[in-house]
Amino acid sequence: MNRLLSSFLPGNGQGQTPKTLYFALLVAACVISALLIFAFWVDGWSIWILGLLIIVAWLPLIFSVMSTIYQQHPWLSLLYLVVVGQAAHMIEHLTQAFEIHVLGYAGPKANGIIGFLNIEWVHLVWNSWVLLLVGILLIGYRKNGWLWFLFAFAIYHELEHIYMVYMYMKTGHPGNPGFLAHGGLFAGGLPITRPDLHAIYAVLEEAMLLMIYVMEQRKVKKAAQFQLATA
């Protein structure tokens, strides 16, 4: 697990938080999460309460790693934040897909973990946040072609959610298929439902973010190694 944590760090610069602390925070987050899940099954908590508490349990580790990355490379720390945030968003979409295809839930019952956030405006705000941060990251990583591709995809995704919100305000009915889902604006869409399509979107965005992070992290490590070798 220490190796997994180390993979997110850009190097071994001065002022880093000891990796033993990361390991302790990781173990604490895992143990607390397990206890929360146990309490969820025993006491019958609402799943959104469980989800929020688990997020809180992981925040010390997330921000500790982010702080260390920021000390060495601020742009990489911002990229790390987007990677982590989109990972949580992806999990929410995949949970909704699990509810639909495995648990057999339908309609409003298939709302993911934090169901009260599964509304059109929240989706729009989230995608606006991702688009904004990816746009800001282009200032620091303007030579990264994959980041430009992600930016273009994020623009498309944003436009689709703007359209969905527009249709929601016009009709009063949420869940519009958007551009490409079944029944969508573009030629009736593809033979795939909106929840499934947007789960795929979330996975693709997270995969691109992880790839971009690894690429930029390697550049930072190589630069640090070169500087050390020539010092």
Side-chain angles (χ1 to χ4, degrees):
M1 284 191 285
N2 260 331
R3 184 174 297 178
L4 177 63
L5 284 172
S6 298
S7 67
F8 279 95
L9 301 175
N12 294 315
Q14 295 180 349
Q16 283 194 14
T17 305
K19 292 179 182 179
T20 51
L21 176 58
Y22 294 138
F23 183 75
L25 290 173
L26 175 62
V27 171
C30 290
V31 171
I32 293 172
S33 297
L35 291 174
L36 288 170
I37 292 171
F38 177 76
F40 164 75
W41 287 111
V42 172
D43 293 337
W45 294 354
S46 296
I47 193 169
W48 68 267
I49 296 177
L50 173 66
L52 288 177
L53 290 176
I54 288 178
I55 290 173
V56 171
W58 284 85
L59 287 180
L61 175 62
I62 291 170
F63 285 112
S64 181
V65 173
M66 184 177 175
S67 175
T68 297
I69 298 172
Y70 181 82
Q71 293 172 24
Q72 300 173 67
H73 205 281
W75 284 114
L76 198 63
S77 69
L78 179 59
L79 180 54
Y80 167 82
L81 176 63
V82 182
V83 168
V84 173
Q86 180 61 25
H89 184 66
M90 178 187 69
I91 291 171
E92 187 73 8
H93 274 287
L94 293 178
T95 301
Q96 186 181 31
F98 179 84
E99 290 174 335
I100 293 171
H101 296 290
V102 178
L103 300 181
Y105 292 173
K109 193 174 182 182
N111 266 334
I113 298 173
I114 309 177
F116 65 87
L117 294 180
N118 187 29
I119 57 177
E120 299 292 3
W121 284 106
V122 171
H123 287 292
L124 177 60
V125 169
W126 175 265
N127 284 282
S128 299
W129 180 82
V130 171
L131 176 60
L132 174 64
L133 291 185
V134 170
I136 293 173
L137 283 167
L138 282 171
I139 299 173
Y141 299 126
R142 54 186 174 274
K143 294 183 179 180
N144 191 307
W146 281 106
L147 189 61
W148 281 102
F149 183 81
L150 176 60
F151 183 62
F153 183 79
I155 291 174
Y156 159 78
H157 202 176
E158 176 77 358
L159 291 174
E160 185 172 38
H161 277 286
I162 290 173
Y163 171 73
M164 290 173 177
V165 168
Y166 166 75
M167 293 303 296
Y168 169 63
M169 294 177 66
K170 182 178 179 180
T171 65
H173 299 295
N176 184 275
F179 292 159
L180 290 178
H182 181 66
L185 180 66
F186 297 159
L190 301 171
I192 184 172
T193 64
R194 170 178 165 175
D196 289 344
L197 181 61
H198 282 255
I200 293 172
Y201 285 172
V203 171
L204 287 175
E205 288 181 348
E206 179 63 11
M208 283 189 283
L209 282 166
L210 281 171
M211 180 173 60
I212 293 164
Y213 185 89
V214 170
M215 292 169 64
E216 297 302 332
Q217 180 202 46
R218 286 177 177 173
K219 291 178 184 177
V220 172
K221 285 187 174 181
K222 285 182 179 179
Q225 290 170 356
F226 177 78
Q227 185 177 15
L228 186 63
T230 56

